[in-house]
Amino acid sequence: MDSNQKIRKQVKDELTEYLTLHKHRKTPERFAILDHIYSTKGHFDMDTLYKSMIDVNFRVSRATLYNTIELLLDCGLVLKHQFGGNMSKYEKAYGNDNHDHLICTTCGEVREAKNEDLSIASQLKKIKKFTVNYYSMYIYGTCSKCSHAKKMEMKQKSKQGKN
Amino acid sequence: MDSNQKIRKQVKDELTEYLTLHKHRKTPERFAILDHIYSTKGHFDMDTLYKSMIDVNFRVSRATLYNTIELLLDCGLVLKHQFGGNMSKYEKAYGNDNHDHLICTTCGEVREAKNEDLSIASQLKKIKKFTVNYYSMYIYGTCSKCSHAKKMEMKQKSKQGKN
DNA sequence: ATGTATGCAAACCATTTGCAATGAC
DNA sequence: GTCATTGCAAATGGTTTGCATACAT
């Protein structure tokens, strides 16, 4: 709890600094959106974010949400993912452990998996002519639920084939 | 050249097997699209694929292209990427070295980087309750061209600030 | 002959854009 | 007071869908 408070203050300061440096305005919407993102857990999409802000009686337009997310991506406070569905998913950049994403190509569910592979960091350093901001590891496959469902389906089909 | 011929035959056979197994029809379109994909290099998007097939006088509709790509994704012959632009990119799954993707968040350019990190494979084996098909490593950052452009821009801004 | 796959055009929907009104500076 | 930012509504564009036709089986 306490550490979350600390992070929310840190990111607010970082946003302030970024806005000052880039001569952008410090609007209440920008800080409210950032804080809202950092007070919730896990992935979110625009629709979820929009509705959850309305829920706490903070009126924002979708346009502003998109504008602000763009800003937050720019200053590295938020990460964007496109796992394969129709809409983009986002997550906060700080206060998250480094993790891979397990994406089930059947049901679309995204699970996080801890990643303690330190050799990746050393690999990144070897990259030339490119300034690395962050990386994402997407692992595609089938979750246990869907694996099971597929097996059942195949059994059905092979039965029909015998008729 | 020769190895490419071999791969094209292999993937054709694999598609045939897949279609038979799943009781789908072996239409000329499906084989033509697969072969077309495997006779070109690097990433492609739907529009590029569509136009390049028209160019070689093979008439397909966009709808069929989308249907077929879905099929090829299903049987693992093609990989799909959403790097952050508006449209999805694809690449063939076989005959490509294992590589990471360096994505410039400024200009959107995607560069491939060789990846010989064998520890990743052993990491994947540790994942429970999930059947891994493939993985993609996306490394976001700024390419040297855009880094340079940004520096220039910052200089401009700080000059203006002094007026 | 049967029903799946194709092609076309219309529909969809997340995201972007244009513009008037607001408010940070 | 000025001009960036907001909010609304309309536009955009990649992708999906509905349906008549073609063709693999």
Side-chain angles (χ1 to χ4, degrees), chain B residues 28-65:
Chain B
E29 284 83 1
R30 286 172 174 170
F31 290 105
I33 293 167
L34 177 69
D35 198 61
H36 198 83
I37 289 172
Y38 270 82
S39 64
T40 56
K41 282 195 186 239
H43 298 119
F44 63 91
D45 56 56
M46 280 310 207
D47 203 54
T48 312
L49 180 59
Y50 179 74
K51 282 175 182 154
S52 77
M53 294 205 70
I54 299 298
D55 276 353
V56 296
N57 285 311
F58 193 99
R59 292 257 330 138
V60 239
S61 66
R62 287 197 148 84
T64 300
L65 237 40

mmCIF file of all heavy atoms in Angstrom, chain B residues 28-65:
data_model
loop_
_atom_site.group_PDB
_atom_site.id
_atom_site.type_symbol
_atom_site.label_atom_id
_atom_site.label_comp_id
_atom_site.label_asym_id
_atom_site.label_seq_id
_atom_site.Cartn_x
_atom_site.Cartn_y
_atom_site.Cartn_z
ATOM 1 N N PRO B 28 -7.444 -23.902 -54.797
ATOM 2 C CA PRO B 28 -6.251 -23.317 -55.424
ATOM 3 C C PRO B 28 -5.811 -22.031 -54.737
ATOM 4 O O PRO B 28 -4.622 -21.779 -54.601
ATOM 5 C CB PRO B 28 -6.697 -23.044 -56.864
ATOM 6 C CG PRO B 28 -8.175 -23.202 -56.876
ATOM 7 C CD PRO B 28 -8.524 -24.121 -55.767
ATOM 8 N N GLU B 29 -6.777 -21.231 -54.283
ATOM 9 C CA GLU B 29 -6.445 -19.974 -53.606
ATOM 10 C C GLU B 29 -5.535 -20.222 -52.404
ATOM 11 O O GLU B 29 -4.522 -19.541 -52.224
ATOM 12 C CB GLU B 29 -7.720 -19.260 -53.126
ATOM 13 C CG GLU B 29 -8.506 -18.563 -54.209
ATOM 14 C CD GLU B 29 -9.422 -19.518 -54.952
ATOM 15 O OE1 GLU B 29 -9.450 -20.724 -54.593
ATOM 16 O OE2 GLU B 29 -10.102 -19.080 -55.889
ATOM 17 N N ARG B 30 -5.890 -21.200 -51.607
ATOM 18 C CA ARG B 30 -5.130 -21.445 -50.384
ATOM 19 C C ARG B 30 -3.683 -21.788 -50.678
ATOM 20 O O ARG B 30 -2.774 -21.267 -50.030
ATOM 21 C CB ARG B 30 -5.814 -22.565 -49.579
ATOM 22 C CG ARG B 30 -7.082 -22.075 -48.925
ATOM 23 C CD ARG B 30 -7.907 -23.169 -48.286
ATOM 24 N NE ARG B 30 -9.025 -22.570 -47.556
ATOM 25 C CZ ARG B 30 -10.033 -23.261 -47.043
ATOM 26 N NH1 ARG B 30 -10.090 -24.564 -47.165
ATOM 27 N NH2 ARG B 30 -10.998 -22.630 -46.392
ATOM 28 N N PHE B 31 -3.482 -22.632 -51.679
ATOM 29 C CA PHE B 31 -2.100 -23.015 -52.005
ATOM 30 C C PHE B 31 -1.349 -21.866 -52.666
ATOM 31 O O PHE B 31 -0.161 -21.671 -52.430
ATOM 32 C CB PHE B 31 -2.097 -24.273 -52.870
ATOM 33 C CG PHE B 31 -2.518 -25.498 -52.111
ATOM 34 C CD1 PHE B 31 -3.775 -26.048 -52.285
ATOM 35 C CD2 PHE B 31 -1.645 -26.087 -51.195
ATOM 36 C CE1 PHE B 31 -4.172 -27.170 -51.552
ATOM 37 C CE2 PHE B 31 -2.036 -27.210 -50.461
ATOM 38 C CZ PHE B 31 -3.297 -27.748 -50.639
ATOM 39 N N ALA B 32 -2.065 -21.110 -53.471
ATOM 40 C CA ALA B 32 -1.423 -19.979 -54.147
ATOM 41 C C ALA B 32 -0.959 -18.940 -53.137
ATOM 42 O O ALA B 32 0.147 -18.407 -53.227
ATOM 43 C CB ALA B 32 -2.387 -19.351 -55.144
ATOM 44 N N ILE B 33 -1.824 -18.656 -52.172
ATOM 45 C CA ILE B 33 -1.480 -17.650 -51.157
ATOM 46 C C ILE B 33 -0.286 -18.113 -50.330
ATOM 47 O O ILE B 33 0.671 -17.363 -50.117
ATOM 48 C CB ILE B 33 -2.701 -17.348 -50.249
ATOM 49 C CG1 ILE B 33 -3.793 -16.660 -51.064
ATOM 50 C CG2 ILE B 33 -2.293 -16.491 -49.061
ATOM 51 C CD1 ILE B 33 -5.155 -16.592 -50.383
ATOM 52 N N LEU B 34 -0.343 -19.359 -49.892
ATOM 53 C CA LEU B 34 0.783 -19.891 -49.121
ATOM 54 C C LEU B 34 2.087 -19.795 -49.909
ATOM 55 O O LEU B 34 3.098 -19.322 -49.404
ATOM 56 C CB LEU B 34 0.526 -21.354 -48.741
ATOM 57 C CG LEU B 34 1.679 -22.030 -47.983
ATOM 58 C CD1 LEU B 34 1.837 -21.446 -46.586
ATOM 59 C CD2 LEU B 34 1.474 -23.536 -47.914
ATOM 60 N N ASP B 35 2.033 -20.230 -51.146
ATOM 61 C CA ASP B 35 3.240 -20.227 -51.959
ATOM 62 C C ASP B 35 3.742 -18.813 -52.212
ATOM 63 O O ASP B 35 4.938 -18.546 -52.218
ATOM 64 C CB ASP B 35 2.984 -20.929 -53.291
ATOM 65 C CG ASP B 35 4.293 -21.322 -53.963
ATOM 66 O OD1 ASP B 35 5.051 -22.114 -53.358
ATOM 67 O OD2 ASP B 35 4.575 -20.799 -55.063
ATOM 68 N N HIS B 36 2.803 -17.907 -52.396
ATOM 69 C CA HIS B 36 3.171 -16.516 -52.625
ATOM 70 C C HIS B 36 3.883 -15.940 -51.403
ATOM 71 O O HIS B 36 4.903 -15.267 -51.532
ATOM 72 C CB HIS B 36 1.927 -15.699 -52.946
ATOM 73 C CG HIS B 36 2.236 -14.401 -53.588
ATOM 74 N ND1 HIS B 36 2.469 -14.272 -54.943
ATOM 75 C CD2 HIS B 36 2.395 -13.161 -53.070
ATOM 76 C CE1 HIS B 36 2.748 -13.012 -55.209
ATOM 77 N NE2 HIS B 36 2.704 -12.315 -54.090
ATOM 78 N N ILE B 37 3.339 -16.240 -50.242
ATOM 79 C CA ILE B 37 3.956 -15.768 -49.001
ATOM 80 C C ILE B 37 5.366 -16.322 -48.855
ATOM 81 O O ILE B 37 6.297 -15.604 -48.483
ATOM 82 C CB ILE B 37 3.097 -16.183 -47.781
ATOM 83 C CG1 ILE B 37 1.800 -15.372 -47.757
ATOM 84 C CG2 ILE B 37 3.868 -16.011 -46.478
ATOM 85 C CD1 ILE B 37 0.791 -15.828 -46.724
ATOM 86 N N TYR B 38 5.512 -17.583 -49.188
ATOM 87 C CA TYR B 38 6.819 -18.219 -49.002
ATOM 88 C C TYR B 38 7.811 -17.899 -50.110
ATOM 89 O O TYR B 38 8.967 -18.303 -50.036
ATOM 90 C CB TYR B 38 6.657 -19.731 -48.807
ATOM 91 C CG TYR B 38 6.505 -20.083 -47.337
ATOM 92 C CD1 TYR B 38 5.271 -19.982 -46.708
ATOM 93 C CD2 TYR B 38 7.618 -20.440 -46.567
ATOM 94 C CE1 TYR B 38 5.139 -20.251 -45.367
ATOM 95 C CE2 TYR B 38 7.488 -20.711 -45.214
ATOM 96 C CZ TYR B 38 6.244 -20.620 -44.615
ATOM 97 O OH TYR B 38 6.133 -20.873 -43.270
ATOM 98 N N SER B 39 7.362 -17.213 -51.131
ATOM 99 C CA SER B 39 8.316 -16.835 -52.173
ATOM 100 C C SER B 39 8.744 -15.384 -52.046
ATOM 101 O O SER B 39 9.455 -14.863 -52.899
ATOM 102 C CB SER B 39 7.717 -17.103 -53.559
ATOM 103 O OG SER B 39 6.585 -16.278 -53.743
ATOM 104 N N THR B 40 8.301 -14.724 -50.983
ATOM 105 C CA THR B 40 8.747 -13.352 -50.739
ATOM 106 C C THR B 40 9.462 -13.273 -49.393
ATOM 107 O O THR B 40 9.309 -14.141 -48.554
ATOM 108 C CB THR B 40 7.564 -12.363 -50.741
ATOM 109 O OG1 THR B 40 6.600 -12.784 -49.779
ATOM 110 C CG2 THR B 40 6.921 -12.297 -52.095
ATOM 111 N N LYS B 41 10.227 -12.197 -49.233
ATOM 112 C CA LYS B 41 11.054 -12.074 -48.026
ATOM 113 C C LYS B 41 10.466 -11.134 -46.997
ATOM 114 O O LYS B 41 9.747 -10.211 -47.332
ATOM 115 C CB LYS B 41 12.447 -11.561 -48.411
ATOM 116 C CG LYS B 41 13.346 -12.638 -49.002
ATOM 117 C CD LYS B 41 14.809 -12.167 -49.028
ATOM 118 C CE LYS B 41 15.671 -13.194 -49.756
ATOM 119 N NZ LYS B 41 16.736 -13.784 -49.035
ATOM 120 N N GLY B 42 10.806 -11.364 -45.757
ATOM 121 C CA GLY B 42 10.520 -10.406 -44.687
ATOM 122 C C GLY B 42 9.052 -10.260 -44.341
ATOM 123 O O GLY B 42 8.230 -11.109 -44.667
ATOM 124 N N HIS B 43 8.746 -9.158 -43.672
ATOM 125 C CA HIS B 43 7.384 -8.906 -43.230
ATOM 126 C C HIS B 43 6.510 -8.447 -44.379
ATOM 127 O O HIS B 43 6.982 -7.878 -45.348
ATOM 128 C CB HIS B 43 7.374 -7.827 -42.142
ATOM 129 C CG HIS B 43 8.126 -8.200 -40.918
ATOM 130 N ND1 HIS B 43 9.212 -7.487 -40.467
ATOM 131 C CD2 HIS B 43 7.974 -9.223 -40.062
ATOM 132 C CE1 HIS B 43 9.686 -8.052 -39.373
ATOM 133 N NE2 HIS B 43 8.965 -9.111 -39.106
ATOM 134 N N PHE B 44 5.223 -8.659 -44.224
ATOM 135 C CA PHE B 44 4.268 -8.124 -45.192
ATOM 136 C C PHE B 44 2.965 -7.811 -44.477
ATOM 137 O O PHE B 44 2.716 -8.295 -43.377
ATOM 138 C CB PHE B 44 4.043 -9.119 -46.334
ATOM 139 C CG PHE B 44 3.423 -10.419 -45.885
ATOM 140 C CD1 PHE B 44 2.056 -10.580 -45.867
ATOM 141 C CD2 PHE B 44 4.232 -11.481 -45.493
ATOM 142 C CE1 PHE B 44 1.485 -11.780 -45.443
ATOM 143 C CE2 PHE B 44 3.668 -12.674 -45.062
ATOM 144 C CZ PHE B 44 2.291 -12.828 -45.042
ATOM 145 N N ASP B 45 2.157 -6.978 -45.091
ATOM 146 C CA ASP B 45 0.819 -6.729 -44.557
ATOM 147 C C ASP B 45 -0.195 -7.123 -45.623
ATOM 148 O O ASP B 45 0.161 -7.464 -46.745
ATOM 149 C CB ASP B 45 0.667 -5.267 -44.143
ATOM 150 C CG ASP B 45 0.965 -4.326 -45.276
ATOM 151 O OD1 ASP B 45 0.334 -4.448 -46.341
ATOM 152 O OD2 ASP B 45 1.869 -3.475 -45.125
ATOM 153 N N MET B 46 -1.456 -7.060 -45.263
ATOM 154 C CA MET B 46 -2.504 -7.540 -46.156
ATOM 155 C C MET B 46 -2.539 -6.783 -47.473
ATOM 156 O O MET B 46 -2.733 -7.370 -48.527
ATOM 157 C CB MET B 46 -3.857 -7.401 -45.465
ATOM 158 C CG MET B 46 -4.079 -8.517 -44.500
ATOM 159 S SD MET B 46 -3.769 -10.121 -45.267
ATOM 160 C CE MET B 46 -4.816 -11.141 -44.278
ATOM 161 N N ASP B 47 -2.368 -5.486 -47.383
ATOM 162 C CA ASP B 47 -2.443 -4.666 -48.575
ATOM 163 C C ASP B 47 -1.325 -5.022 -49.555
ATOM 164 O O ASP B 47 -1.554 -5.183 -50.754
ATOM 165 C CB ASP B 47 -2.357 -3.187 -48.181
ATOM 166 C CG ASP B 47 -2.962 -2.299 -49.226
ATOM 167 O OD1 ASP B 47 -4.126 -2.541 -49.586
ATOM 168 O OD2 ASP B 47 -2.269 -1.381 -49.700
ATOM 169 N N THR B 48 -0.116 -5.147 -49.011
ATOM 170 C CA THR B 48 1.028 -5.523 -49.825
ATOM 171 C C THR B 48 0.798 -6.880 -50.479
ATOM 172 O O THR B 48 1.040 -7.062 -51.685
ATOM 173 C CB THR B 48 2.296 -5.626 -48.946
ATOM 174 O OG1 THR B 48 2.376 -4.470 -48.133
ATOM 175 C CG2 THR B 48 3.539 -5.754 -49.801
ATOM 176 N N LEU B 49 0.336 -7.824 -49.664
ATOM 177 C CA LEU B 49 0.088 -9.168 -50.175
ATOM 178 C C LEU B 49 -0.945 -9.133 -51.293
ATOM 179 O O LEU B 49 -0.746 -9.720 -52.362
ATOM 180 C CB LEU B 49 -0.397 -10.066 -49.032
ATOM 181 C CG LEU B 49 -0.716 -11.523 -49.386
ATOM 182 C CD1 LEU B 49 0.500 -12.221 -49.974
ATOM 183 C CD2 LEU B 49 -1.223 -12.280 -48.165
ATOM 184 N N TYR B 50 -2.038 -8.409 -51.050
ATOM 185 C CA TYR B 50 -3.110 -8.307 -52.041
ATOM 186 C C TYR B 50 -2.574 -7.762 -53.361
ATOM 187 O O TYR B 50 -2.744 -8.364 -54.413
ATOM 188 C CB TYR B 50 -4.217 -7.396 -51.508
ATOM 189 C CG TYR B 50 -5.363 -7.200 -52.461
ATOM 190 C CD1 TYR B 50 -6.278 -8.215 -52.673
ATOM 191 C CD2 TYR B 50 -5.517 -6.015 -53.164
ATOM 192 C CE1 TYR B 50 -7.334 -8.058 -53.552
ATOM 193 C CE2 TYR B 50 -6.569 -5.839 -54.040
ATOM 194 C CZ TYR B 50 -7.474 -6.865 -54.239
ATOM 195 O OH TYR B 50 -8.510 -6.699 -55.107
ATOM 196 N N LYS B 51 -1.882 -6.643 -53.262
ATOM 197 C CA LYS B 51 -1.381 -6.003 -54.482
ATOM 198 C C LYS B 51 -0.354 -6.849 -55.204
ATOM 199 O O LYS B 51 -0.332 -6.906 -56.431
ATOM 200 C CB LYS B 51 -0.802 -4.624 -54.136
ATOM 201 C CG LYS B 51 -1.912 -3.598 -53.936
ATOM 202 C CD LYS B 51 -1.385 -2.246 -53.480
ATOM 203 C CE LYS B 51 -2.563 -1.294 -53.264
ATOM 204 N NZ LYS B 51 -2.271 -0.238 -52.286
ATOM 205 N N SER B 52 0.499 -7.517 -54.430
ATOM 206 C CA SER B 52 1.551 -8.296 -55.092
ATOM 207 C C SER B 52 0.975 -9.545 -55.755
ATOM 208 O O SER B 52 1.536 -10.062 -56.713
ATOM 209 C CB SER B 52 2.668 -8.652 -54.109
ATOM 210 O OG SER B 52 2.287 -9.706 -53.261
ATOM 211 N N MET B 53 -0.165 -10.021 -55.262
ATOM 212 C CA MET B 53 -0.798 -11.165 -55.921
ATOM 213 C C MET B 53 -1.500 -10.735 -57.196
ATOM 214 O O MET B 53 -1.487 -11.447 -58.202
ATOM 215 C CB MET B 53 -1.772 -11.866 -54.978
ATOM 216 C CG MET B 53 -1.059 -12.512 -53.809
ATOM 217 S SD MET B 53 -1.945 -13.908 -53.074
ATOM 218 C CE MET B 53 -1.816 -15.149 -54.343
ATOM 219 N N ILE B 54 -2.121 -9.551 -57.142
ATOM 220 C CA ILE B 54 -2.727 -8.994 -58.340
ATOM 221 C C ILE B 54 -1.651 -8.789 -59.410
ATOM 222 O O ILE B 54 -1.852 -9.076 -60.586
ATOM 223 C CB ILE B 54 -3.423 -7.645 -58.027
ATOM 224 C CG1 ILE B 54 -4.552 -7.833 -57.003
ATOM 225 C CG2 ILE B 54 -3.962 -7.009 -59.293
ATOM 226 C CD1 ILE B 54 -5.686 -8.727 -57.428
ATOM 227 N N ASP B 55 -0.493 -8.314 -58.952
ATOM 228 C CA ASP B 55 0.627 -8.042 -59.856
ATOM 229 C C ASP B 55 1.051 -9.268 -60.659
ATOM 230 O O ASP B 55 1.483 -9.149 -61.795
ATOM 231 C CB ASP B 55 1.860 -7.544 -59.068
ATOM 232 C CG ASP B 55 1.781 -6.047 -58.813
ATOM 233 O OD1 ASP B 55 0.856 -5.403 -59.358
ATOM 234 O OD2 ASP B 55 2.636 -5.520 -58.071
ATOM 235 N N VAL B 56 0.989 -10.429 -60.030
ATOM 236 C CA VAL B 56 1.356 -11.643 -60.767
ATOM 237 C C VAL B 56 0.116 -12.313 -61.361
ATOM 238 O O VAL B 56 0.132 -13.498 -61.675
ATOM 239 C CB VAL B 56 2.121 -12.651 -59.871
ATOM 240 C CG1 VAL B 56 3.443 -12.060 -59.426
ATOM 241 C CG2 VAL B 56 1.281 -13.071 -58.668
ATOM 242 N N ASN B 57 -0.938 -11.482 -61.509
ATOM 243 C CA ASN B 57 -2.157 -11.940 -62.167
ATOM 244 C C ASN B 57 -2.878 -13.083 -61.474
ATOM 245 O O ASN B 57 -3.502 -13.915 -62.121
ATOM 246 C CB ASN B 57 -1.860 -12.338 -63.613
ATOM 247 C CG ASN B 57 -1.654 -11.108 -64.467
ATOM 248 O OD1 ASN B 57 -2.448 -10.178 -64.444
ATOM 249 N ND2 ASN B 57 -0.546 -11.097 -65.208
ATOM 250 N N PHE B 58 -2.783 -13.109 -60.161
ATOM 251 C CA PHE B 58 -3.613 -14.061 -59.436
ATOM 252 C C PHE B 58 -4.709 -13.280 -58.727
ATOM 253 O O PHE B 58 -4.447 -12.544 -57.780
ATOM 254 C CB PHE B 58 -2.790 -14.867 -58.424
ATOM 255 C CG PHE B 58 -3.540 -16.053 -57.885
ATOM 256 C CD1 PHE B 58 -3.318 -17.322 -58.419
ATOM 257 C CD2 PHE B 58 -4.488 -15.914 -56.887
ATOM 258 C CE1 PHE B 58 -4.027 -18.424 -57.952
ATOM 259 C CE2 PHE B 58 -5.208 -17.015 -56.420
ATOM 260 C CZ PHE B 58 -4.979 -18.268 -56.951
ATOM 261 N N ARG B 59 -5.929 -13.407 -59.198
ATOM 262 C CA ARG B 59 -7.046 -12.654 -58.619
ATOM 263 C C ARG B 59 -7.551 -13.317 -57.342
ATOM 264 O O ARG B 59 -7.984 -14.458 -57.376
ATOM 265 C CB ARG B 59 -8.216 -12.562 -59.621
ATOM 266 C CG ARG B 59 -7.933 -11.707 -60.825
ATOM 267 C CD ARG B 59 -8.592 -10.318 -60.749
ATOM 268 N NE ARG B 59 -9.838 -10.300 -59.976
ATOM 269 C CZ ARG B 59 -10.147 -9.327 -59.131
ATOM 270 N NH1 ARG B 59 -9.321 -8.330 -58.939
ATOM 271 N NH2 ARG B 59 -11.296 -9.351 -58.490
ATOM 272 N N VAL B 60 -7.447 -12.621 -56.228
ATOM 273 C CA VAL B 60 -8.069 -13.061 -54.982
ATOM 274 C C VAL B 60 -8.787 -11.877 -54.378
ATOM 275 O O VAL B 60 -8.388 -10.738 -54.598
ATOM 276 C CB VAL B 60 -7.055 -13.483 -53.899
ATOM 277 C CG1 VAL B 60 -7.271 -14.908 -53.479
ATOM 278 C CG2 VAL B 60 -5.644 -13.177 -54.291
ATOM 279 N N SER B 61 -9.782 -12.154 -53.595
ATOM 280 C CA SER B 61 -10.469 -11.080 -52.880
ATOM 281 C C SER B 61 -9.772 -10.893 -51.549
ATOM 282 O O SER B 61 -9.100 -11.792 -51.042
ATOM 283 C CB SER B 61 -11.924 -11.446 -52.643
ATOM 284 O OG SER B 61 -12.000 -12.540 -51.766
ATOM 285 N N ARG B 62 -9.958 -9.700 -50.991
ATOM 286 C CA ARG B 62 -9.383 -9.452 -49.673
ATOM 287 C C ARG B 62 -9.998 -10.392 -48.637
ATOM 288 O O ARG B 62 -9.317 -10.860 -47.735
ATOM 289 C CB ARG B 62 -9.630 -7.999 -49.263
ATOM 290 C CG ARG B 62 -8.775 -7.018 -50.029
ATOM 291 C CD ARG B 62 -8.742 -5.666 -49.307
ATOM 292 N NE ARG B 62 -7.468 -4.991 -49.506
ATOM 293 C CZ ARG B 62 -7.164 -4.254 -50.559
ATOM 294 N NH1 ARG B 62 -8.046 -4.115 -51.529
ATOM 295 N NH2 ARG B 62 -5.981 -3.679 -50.661
ATOM 296 N N ALA B 63 -11.283 -10.684 -48.796
ATOM 297 C CA ALA B 63 -11.956 -11.568 -47.844
ATOM 298 C C ALA B 63 -11.262 -12.928 -47.792
ATOM 299 O O ALA B 63 -11.003 -13.464 -46.714
ATOM 300 C CB ALA B 63 -13.420 -11.729 -48.225
ATOM 301 N N THR B 64 -10.945 -13.465 -48.935
ATOM 302 C CA THR B 64 -10.271 -14.767 -48.999
ATOM 303 C C THR B 64 -8.876 -14.679 -48.388
ATOM 304 O O THR B 64 -8.425 -15.595 -47.702
ATOM 305 C CB THR B 64 -10.169 -15.252 -50.452
ATOM 306 O OG1 THR B 64 -11.482 -15.373 -50.970
ATOM 307 C CG2 THR B 64 -9.464 -16.589 -50.538
ATOM 308 N N LEU B 65 -8.222 -13.574 -48.642
ATOM 309 C CA LEU B 65 -6.907 -13.365 -48.054
ATOM 310 C C LEU B 65 -6.998 -13.429 -46.527
ATOM 311 O O LEU B 65 -6.202 -14.120 -45.877
ATOM 312 C CB LEU B 65 -6.388 -11.991 -48.482
ATOM 313 C CG LEU B 65 -5.042 -11.937 -49.223
ATOM 314 C CD1 LEU B 65 -4.896 -13.074 -50.205
ATOM 315 C CD2 LEU B 65 -4.894 -10.606 -49.922
#
